[in-house]
Amino acid sequence: LADLDIDGGTDIGAAIVDADLFIVDDGAGGTNRKTAASRIKTYAGFTATTITGATELDATPAATDELILSDAGTLKRMDFTHIYNTPVFKAVLTGHQTISDDTATTVAFNSAPVDSASAFDASTNYEYVVPSGQGGNWFISTWLRMSGGGNDTIDVANLTLMGGDGTEALAYAGFTPNTSSPFGIIAVCLAGIFNIDAGDKIKVSAYIGAGSARVDGVANGGFTSLQGFKLIG
């Protein structure tokens, strides 16, 4: 070190950049070597003071805000959107749907006010197709208000949440009223966590036993809806 000649003997006079060089003793016998500033900052590690401004965000993070995390020891940045419970969807029935008595019928959810992956078919098959790469655990729920048309008595009412190839029932809920206490309107619902593969189709089938039958819908979708989202992890 006594023989080290610093050019000009002056301060660098500017911020240090990754390509600037430092002289260090490599610890293997007193040999002086040079190293780039980029290596020093990696060795020094990351602390809160490294954050620009070192201030609190104090707001809900935007989807493109970034987090810092360690990937097997290497610091990386990640958009906040990656820890959202997405994809997410909600489909609704905006008008009454007449269905045949004692016949399982696909509920024609004709509007999808929430559909982050644009994966709900609200015009033809009335089903949600799980997007590529989004298989895993999903929370799915649905509720239906069903009526016997003209106040016909409902002797049985049930719904089936379908997945897989469209024929496998993920869940089932049903209602059979006491024959001494007839009903003209009934609401049936179900919810749960299901392991679903990419490409699976999620839809709902309704079954009503009544002289004439329908699934009720209103403009805001408050009577009948299907919704779900993928769980983190």
Side-chain angles (χ1 to χ4, degrees):
L1 289 176
D3 297 329
L4 183 63
D5 179 19
I6 300 176
D7 294 339
T10 58
D11 184 83
I12 190 172
I16 295 173
V17 298
D18 285 352
D20 286 344
L21 300 175
F22 288 81
I23 302 298
V24 297
D25 184 329
D26 71 0
T31 301
N32 293 321
R33 300 184 186 278
K34 62 186 179 183
T35 186
S38 59
R39 290 181 176 177
I40 293 178
K41 72 176 185 181
T42 301
Y43 172 78
F46 177 85
T47 67
T49 58
T50 313
I51 302 172
T52 303
T55 56
E56 180 185 1
L57 176 59
D58 196 27
T60 301
T64 54
D65 284 350
E66 294 180 334
L67 304 173
I68 300 296
L69 74 161
S70 173
D71 179 10
T74 299
L75 292 178
K76 294 182 179 179
R77 65 180 190 269
M78 178 185 73
D79 283 354
F80 193 76
T81 187
H82 290 301
I83 61 172
Y84 285 176
N85 281 315
T86 54
V88 58
F89 74 94
K90 179 178 181 178
V92 299
L93 182 66
T94 62
H96 301 324
Q97 177 187 354
T98 299
I99 66 175
S100 299
D101 180 36
D102 293 326
T103 303
T105 305
T106 297
V107 179
F109 295 105
N110 60 332
S111 176
V114 178
D115 189 5
S116 66
S118 299
F120 194 89
D121 177 359
S123 61
T124 305
N125 296 313
Y126 309 108
E127 61 191 13
Y128 185 83
V129 182
V130 178
S132 176
Q134 298 298 336
N137 292 320
W138 283 67
F139 177 82
I140 305 293
S141 67
T142 185
W143 55 78
L144 276 64
R145 198 181 90 162
M146 298 184 280
S147 302
N151 294 320
D152 283 349
T153 299
I154 296 174
D155 55 45
V156 62
N158 62 61
L159 65 89
T160 305
L161 179 61
M162 313 294 287
D165 60 3
T167 60
E168 177 186 358
L170 293 178
Y172 164 91
F175 175 82
T176 302
N178 187 310
T179 55
S180 64
S181 191
F183 292 86
I185 298 174
I186 192 66
V188 184
C189 61
L190 62 85
I193 296 173
F194 307 99
N195 188 272
I196 304 173
D197 294 329
D200 279 359
K201 300 174 178 63
I202 301 168
K203 59 184 177 180
V204 172
S205 175
Y207 180 100
I208 310 174
S212 59
R214 75 183 190 194
V215 179
D216 294 337
V218 290
N220 65 3
F223 285 170
T224 298
S225 69
L226 167 66
Q227 47 273 314
F229 57 87
K230 183 183 178 183
L231 297 168
I232 296 173

